[in-house]
Amino acid sequence: SAWRRSATSGADRPRELRGQEIRITYSIDETGKPVKVSFEPAIADGKFAGKLRETMLSYRFHPALDPNGRPVAGSWVYIMVIW
């Protein structure tokens, strides 16, 4: 995927993050567009964090649905290991 090539490839990855688990929390609007992305633990390398955040914000999701089948805002958590 484009994310793997650009956000975590080779020299782009900070050495201290390699092999580390990062919890990514997305806040997603009712159209499926991420409106906020946060990382836990925080990523100290600002350049890498910005690039990763920009990539994650470009993703699109199927929105959550309420009991009547209407799209609603929600959140999603993903655990990633940076290699």
Side-chain angles (χ1 to χ4, degrees), residues 14 16-18 20-25 37-50 52-53 80 82:
E16 64 273 9
L17 287 179
R18 293 180 187 172
Q20 297 296 312
E21 248 185 29
I22 303 291
R23 177 185 171 111
I24 304 168
T25 302
V37 176
S38 61
F39 306 114
E40 189 181 318
I43 298 173
D45 184 310
K47 183 177 178 182
F48 181 78
L52 186 59
R53 180 173 285 106
M80 176 179 85
I82 297 178

Side-chain angles (χ1 to χ4, degrees), residues 5 7 28 73:
R5 284 193 306 274
I28 303 164

Side-chain angles (χ1 to χ4, degrees), residues 2-70:
W3 168 74
R4 285 195 176 126
R5 284 193 306 274
S6 65
T8 62
S9 63
D12 290 347
R13 295 175 305 205
R15 184 173 298 258
E16 64 273 9
L17 287 179
R18 293 180 187 172
Q20 297 296 312
E21 248 185 29
I22 303 291
R23 177 185 171 111
I24 304 168
T25 302
Y26 294 87
S27 295
I28 303 164
D29 71 13
E30 63 280 349
T31 69
K33 179 181 176 187
V35 293
K36 182 180 176 185
V37 176
S38 61
F39 306 114
E40 189 181 318
I43 298 173
D45 184 310
K47 183 177 178 182
F48 181 78
K51 190 176 202 180
L52 186 59
R53 180 173 285 106
E54 179 182 324
T55 300
M56 299 302 183
L57 287 170
S58 73
Y59 288 3
R60 294 298 174 262
F61 296 86
H62 293 283
L65 302 176
D66 70 12
N68 296 316
R70 291 184 298 247

